[in-house]
Amino acid sequence: MAEPLFERIAFLGIGLIGSSVARIARERGDIAREIVVNARTQKTLDRVMELGFADRVELDPGKAVEGADCVMLCAPVGAFADLAAKIAPHLAQGAVLTDVGSTKQSVIRDVGPLIPAGVHFVPAHPVAGTEYSGPDSGFTTLFQGRWTLVTPPPGTDEVSVEKISELWRRCGSMVERMEAGHHDRVLAIVSHLPHLIAFTICGTADDLADESRQEVINFAASGFRDFTRIAASDPVMWRDIFLNNREAVLEMLQRFMEDAQGMARAIRWGDAEYIEGMVERGRKIRRSLIQQKQA
Ligand code: NAP
């Protein structure tokens, strides 16, 4: 077994993502020697002890990070500023502070200024997930063959960037470095806009008259069902993502609405070629995802 990357890792927030990393760390043994977990509620911490992937739990975030040489923020991104303010005075010199948040410019904006000198901040985002949340939902193969995007601001300590990259490789992930603003635009189109559409379409269906609504449930398999899976995601997490990636989400939504208008026009005027072309492009994208094993 390789030497552990860290002596002690502290997780702040332990839902789907945090508990998956913690389970992998426990199973492999070469990520950290000791695992400390903090969450917002004692109930979650009690459950974490039952699940057995932590050495210690700590309700006070400041105490949780004391003596840790790696700290990973795994709460919803809207909670990061408050958490960072609470832990800042307790972070050990030389520690690496990282996160798994789905938006990156906002995290750099909220957390960056609060970090004491001598602590290295390496923002990252594992692009993997399910619609489930909480410490029971994590599993060790979540990141297998998926990408993790590491978005260090210019001037970040390279040794720390490499350690966090290696942590994700040991979790089974492929790692790529990306500028934070670029990350936010890419994620707006591949993740945030599709979720926005899924939440909206479920709302539209729910607004239908009662008898049609029952039919939506009965015949959901014809396409609607895939949207409902995406729309089952955690409301607080998604509220925070939309509010913290506002510009990029609004830009992609604008582009989408223009293209949807294009489809509406084609349907109205019977432009068969345009419609067929759009469907063909969708099929092509699906085929290339399958080829790249990202389907
Ligand atoms: P989750 O399952 O909902 O768990 C959230 C955890 O954060 C819980 O342990 C919760 O503690 C804690 N928490 C919630 N609000 C808090 C607050 N205000 N202050 C401190 N702690 C708080 O979340 P997740 O799905 O793992 O997502 C965690 C992070 O990963 C988010 O930033 C998200 O953007 C990012 N991410 C998610 C996915 C995904 O598909 N789910 C994928 C990639 C990245 P309690 O249980 O005690 O309430």
Side-chain angles (χ1 to χ4, degrees):
M1 189 177 76
E3 268 294 289
L5 289 167
F6 298 102
E7 290 300 315
R8 182 188 295 171
I9 187 168
F11 293 91
L12 300 188
I14 195 78
L16 171 72
I17 304 294
S19 78
S20 295
V21 178
R23 280 177 170 90
I24 296 167
R26 166 83 346 143
E27 189 177 283
R28 289 183 59 112
D30 63 355
I31 288 177
R33 282 186 219 280
E34 193 189 351
I35 300 170
V36 180
V37 168
N38 161 266
R40 188 174 40 168
T41 60
Q42 187 61 45
K43 186 165 167 262
T44 295
L45 295 182
D46 291 344
R47 183 64 188 143
V48 165
M49 283 318 277
E50 279 166 22
L51 290 167
F53 54 72
D55 295 296
R56 192 151 66 74
V57 292
E58 195 56 76
L59 193 56
D60 177 344
K63 281 202 188 119
V65 305
E66 264 164 25
D69 53 350
C70 183
V71 174
M72 191 179 272
L73 300 174
C74 300
V77 289
F80 282 10
D82 186 43
L83 276 174
K86 282 185 179 139
I87 62 172
H90 304 272
L91 290 167
Q93 275 297 300
V96 183
L97 173 64
T98 187
D99 79 296
V100 298
S102 305
T103 61
K104 295 276 57 99
Q105 281 174 302
S106 76
V107 171
I108 293 170
R109 175 198 70 203
D110 292 348
V111 176
L114 299 168
I115 297 166
V119 172
H120 308 294
F121 176 41
V122 183
H125 175 206
V127 187
T130 72
E131 66 277 28
Y132 300 107
S133 47
D136 282 273
S137 62
F139 53 99
T140 54
T141 53
L142 177 61
F143 310 111
Q144 212 74 49
R146 302 278 166 225
W147 288 98
T148 293
L149 302 173
V150 181
T151 65
T156 306
D157 174 54
E158 282 302 325
V159 175
S160 305
V161 174
E162 179 45 33
K163 277 183 114 172
I164 294 303
S165 303
E166 180 58 19
L167 181 154
W168 285 108
R169 284 191 286 268
R170 291 186 188 186
C171 287
S173 196
M174 305 176 288
V175 176
E176 186 159 304
R177 214 167 152 144
M178 200 177 267
E179 189 274 318
H182 187 62
H183 165 280
D184 287 357
R185 284 171 55 83
V186 171
L187 267 291
I189 189 71
V190 302
S191 169
H192 307 167
L193 181 63
H195 277 82
L196 187 154
I197 293 169
F199 297 131
T200 310
I201 206 170
C202 287
T204 307
D206 199 42
D207 284 342
L208 292 173
D210 275 352
E211 70 281 15
S212 318
R213 201 187 295 154
Q214 189 49 48
E215 281 159 359
V216 168
I217 305 291
N218 292 350
F219 306 123
S222 26
F224 184 68
R225 188 177 55 188
D226 291 347
F227 283 112
T228 65
R229 186 190 60 72
I230 299 176
S233 303
D234 186 67
V236 172
M237 175 181 135
W238 279 97
R239 174 200 71 191
D240 284 2
I241 290 173
F242 292 135
L243 293 177
N244 284 283
N245 197 18
R246 191 172 51 183
E247 270 74 37
V249 170
L250 290 178
E251 184 199 324
M252 297 307 167
L253 180 60
Q254 184 61 36
R255 292 171 80 128
F256 170 77
M257 289 193 303
E258 283 168 22
D259 293 343
Q261 281 298 334
M263 269 301 253
R265 200 177 313 110
I267 294 168
R268 184 180 311 283
W269 297 107
D271 187 344
E273 208 178 316
Y274 183 97
I275 298 168
E276 217 178 303
M278 275 299 237
V279 178
E280 188 50 49
R281 272 171 86 182
R283 274 166 58 121
K284 252 198 211 148
I285 291 184
R286 178 71 191 169
R287 274 200 296 269
S288 65
L289 274 188
I290 292 170
Q291 274 162 11
Q292 289 171 42
K293 296 197 167 49
Q294 293 295 315

Short mmCIF file of all heavy atoms in Angstrom, two decimals, residues 49-73:
data_model
loop_
_atom_site.label_atom_id
_atom_site.label_comp_id
_atom_site.label_asym_id
_atom_site.label_seq_id
_atom_site.Cartn_x
_atom_site.Cartn_y
_atom_site.Cartn_z
N MET A 49 -21.32 7.37 12.93
CA MET A 49 -20.63 6.42 13.82
C MET A 49 -21.18 5.01 13.63
O MET A 49 -20.42 4.05 13.63
CB MET A 49 -20.74 6.87 15.29
CG MET A 49 -19.80 8.02 15.66
SD MET A 49 -18.11 7.92 14.98
CE MET A 49 -17.30 6.84 16.14
N GLU A 50 -22.50 4.90 13.43
CA GLU A 50 -23.08 3.57 13.17
C GLU A 50 -22.54 2.98 11.86
O GLU A 50 -22.27 1.79 11.76
CB GLU A 50 -24.61 3.66 13.04
CG GLU A 50 -25.35 3.71 14.35
CD GLU A 50 -26.80 4.14 14.17
OE1 GLU A 50 -27.35 4.00 13.04
OE2 GLU A 50 -27.38 4.64 15.14
N LEU A 51 -22.39 3.84 10.86
CA LEU A 51 -21.94 3.35 9.55
C LEU A 51 -20.46 2.95 9.59
O LEU A 51 -20.01 2.17 8.74
CB LEU A 51 -22.18 4.42 8.48
CG LEU A 51 -23.67 4.67 8.13
CD1 LEU A 51 -23.84 5.93 7.30
CD2 LEU A 51 -24.25 3.46 7.39
N GLY A 52 -19.71 3.55 10.51
CA GLY A 52 -18.37 3.03 10.79
C GLY A 52 -17.25 3.50 9.86
O GLY A 52 -16.20 2.87 9.83
N PHE A 53 -17.43 4.60 9.12
CA PHE A 53 -16.32 5.04 8.27
C PHE A 53 -15.54 6.21 8.86
O PHE A 53 -14.66 6.75 8.19
CB PHE A 53 -16.78 5.32 6.83
CG PHE A 53 -17.93 6.29 6.72
CD1 PHE A 53 -17.74 7.64 6.97
CD2 PHE A 53 -19.18 5.84 6.37
CE1 PHE A 53 -18.80 8.53 6.86
CE2 PHE A 53 -20.25 6.72 6.26
CZ PHE A 53 -20.05 8.06 6.51
N ALA A 54 -15.88 6.61 10.10
CA ALA A 54 -15.13 7.71 10.73
C ALA A 54 -14.47 7.23 12.00
O ALA A 54 -14.98 6.35 12.69
CB ALA A 54 -16.07 8.87 11.05
N ASP A 55 -13.30 7.82 12.32
CA ASP A 55 -12.68 7.51 13.60
C ASP A 55 -13.32 8.33 14.70
O ASP A 55 -13.39 7.91 15.85
CB ASP A 55 -11.17 7.84 13.54
CG ASP A 55 -10.47 6.93 12.54
OD1 ASP A 55 -10.44 5.72 12.79
OD2 ASP A 55 -10.01 7.44 11.51
N ARG A 56 -13.78 9.54 14.34
CA ARG A 56 -14.27 10.49 15.34
C ARG A 56 -15.26 11.42 14.67
O ARG A 56 -15.11 11.75 13.49
CB ARG A 56 -13.05 11.29 15.81
CG ARG A 56 -13.22 12.14 17.02
CD ARG A 56 -11.86 12.25 17.74
NE ARG A 56 -10.85 12.96 16.96
CZ ARG A 56 -10.84 14.28 16.77
NH1 ARG A 56 -11.79 15.05 17.26
NH2 ARG A 56 -9.88 14.86 16.06
N VAL A 57 -16.30 11.84 15.41
CA VAL A 57 -17.21 12.86 14.89
C VAL A 57 -17.17 14.06 15.82
O VAL A 57 -16.85 13.93 17.00
CB VAL A 57 -18.66 12.34 14.76
CG1 VAL A 57 -18.77 11.29 13.67
CG2 VAL A 57 -19.19 11.81 16.08
N GLU A 58 -17.50 15.23 15.27
CA GLU A 58 -17.33 16.46 16.03
C GLU A 58 -18.39 17.45 15.56
O GLU A 58 -18.43 17.80 14.39
CB GLU A 58 -15.91 16.97 15.71
CG GLU A 58 -15.35 18.01 16.58
CD GLU A 58 -15.31 17.65 18.07
OE1 GLU A 58 -14.45 16.86 18.50
OE2 GLU A 58 -16.18 18.17 18.77
N LEU A 59 -19.26 17.90 16.48
CA LEU A 59 -20.34 18.81 16.08
C LEU A 59 -19.84 20.24 15.84
O LEU A 59 -20.43 20.99 15.09
CB LEU A 59 -21.46 18.78 17.13
CG LEU A 59 -22.79 19.41 16.75
CD1 LEU A 59 -23.37 18.80 15.46
CD2 LEU A 59 -23.80 19.27 17.88
N ASP A 60 -18.73 20.59 16.49
CA ASP A 60 -18.18 21.93 16.34
C ASP A 60 -17.18 21.92 15.17
O ASP A 60 -16.15 21.24 15.23
CB ASP A 60 -17.48 22.31 17.66
CG ASP A 60 -16.80 23.67 17.58
OD1 ASP A 60 -16.61 24.19 16.47
OD2 ASP A 60 -16.46 24.20 18.65
N PRO A 61 -17.45 22.68 14.09
CA PRO A 61 -16.55 22.64 12.93
C PRO A 61 -15.12 23.05 13.26
O PRO A 61 -14.17 22.48 12.72
CB PRO A 61 -17.18 23.62 11.93
CG PRO A 61 -18.41 24.18 12.54
CD PRO A 61 -18.60 23.59 13.90
N GLY A 62 -14.96 24.01 14.17
CA GLY A 62 -13.62 24.45 14.57
C GLY A 62 -12.83 23.28 15.17
O GLY A 62 -11.68 23.03 14.79
N LYS A 63 -13.47 22.57 16.08
CA LYS A 63 -12.80 21.42 16.72
C LYS A 63 -12.52 20.32 15.70
O LYS A 63 -11.50 19.64 15.77
CB LYS A 63 -13.68 20.85 17.83
CG LYS A 63 -13.61 21.64 19.11
CD LYS A 63 -14.02 20.77 20.30
CE LYS A 63 -14.15 21.61 21.56
NZ LYS A 63 -15.51 21.60 22.12
N ALA A 64 -13.43 20.15 14.74
CA ALA A 64 -13.27 19.08 13.75
C ALA A 64 -11.99 19.26 12.93
O ALA A 64 -11.34 18.30 12.56
CB ALA A 64 -14.48 19.01 12.83
N VAL A 65 -11.63 20.51 12.63
CA VAL A 65 -10.48 20.73 11.74
C VAL A 65 -9.15 20.85 12.49
O VAL A 65 -8.09 20.83 11.86
CB VAL A 65 -10.66 21.98 10.83
CG1 VAL A 65 -11.96 21.88 10.04
CG2 VAL A 65 -10.60 23.28 11.63
N GLU A 66 -9.20 20.97 13.81
CA GLU A 66 -7.96 21.12 14.58
C GLU A 66 -7.02 19.95 14.32
O GLU A 66 -7.42 18.79 14.44
CB GLU A 66 -8.27 21.25 16.07
CG GLU A 66 -8.32 22.71 16.50
CD GLU A 66 -8.99 22.93 17.85
OE1 GLU A 66 -9.01 21.99 18.66
OE2 GLU A 66 -9.52 24.05 18.05
N GLY A 67 -5.79 20.25 13.94
CA GLY A 67 -4.79 19.20 13.74
C GLY A 67 -4.94 18.42 12.45
O GLY A 67 -4.18 17.50 12.20
N ALA A 68 -5.94 18.77 11.60
CA ALA A 68 -6.11 18.04 10.34
C ALA A 68 -5.18 18.65 9.29
O ALA A 68 -5.08 19.87 9.19
CB ALA A 68 -7.56 18.13 9.86
N ASP A 69 -4.50 17.79 8.50
CA ASP A 69 -3.67 18.35 7.41
C ASP A 69 -4.43 18.36 6.09
O ASP A 69 -3.92 18.85 5.08
CB ASP A 69 -2.31 17.65 7.29
CG ASP A 69 -2.41 16.15 7.18
OD1 ASP A 69 -3.53 15.61 7.39
OD2 ASP A 69 -1.40 15.50 6.88
N CYS A 70 -5.68 17.84 6.08
CA CYS A 70 -6.56 18.02 4.93
C CYS A 70 -7.99 18.27 5.44
O CYS A 70 -8.47 17.54 6.31
CB CYS A 70 -6.55 16.79 4.03
SG CYS A 70 -7.57 16.99 2.55
N VAL A 71 -8.62 19.31 4.92
CA VAL A 71 -9.99 19.64 5.30
C VAL A 71 -10.81 19.72 4.01
O VAL A 71 -10.41 20.41 3.07
CB VAL A 71 -10.04 20.99 6.05
CG1 VAL A 71 -11.49 21.41 6.31
CG2 VAL A 71 -9.26 20.91 7.36
N MET A 72 -11.92 18.98 3.97
CA MET A 72 -12.73 18.94 2.75
C MET A 72 -14.14 19.46 3.05
O MET A 72 -14.86 18.87 3.86
CB MET A 72 -12.77 17.50 2.22
CG MET A 72 -13.36 17.40 0.83
SD MET A 72 -13.36 15.69 0.21
CE MET A 72 -11.77 15.55 -0.55
N LEU A 73 -14.50 20.56 2.39
CA LEU A 73 -15.85 21.12 2.56
C LEU A 73 -16.81 20.32 1.68
O LEU A 73 -16.68 20.32 0.46
CB LEU A 73 -15.88 22.59 2.14
CG LEU A 73 -14.95 23.56 2.89
CD1 LEU A 73 -15.01 24.95 2.24
CD2 LEU A 73 -15.35 23.65 4.36
#
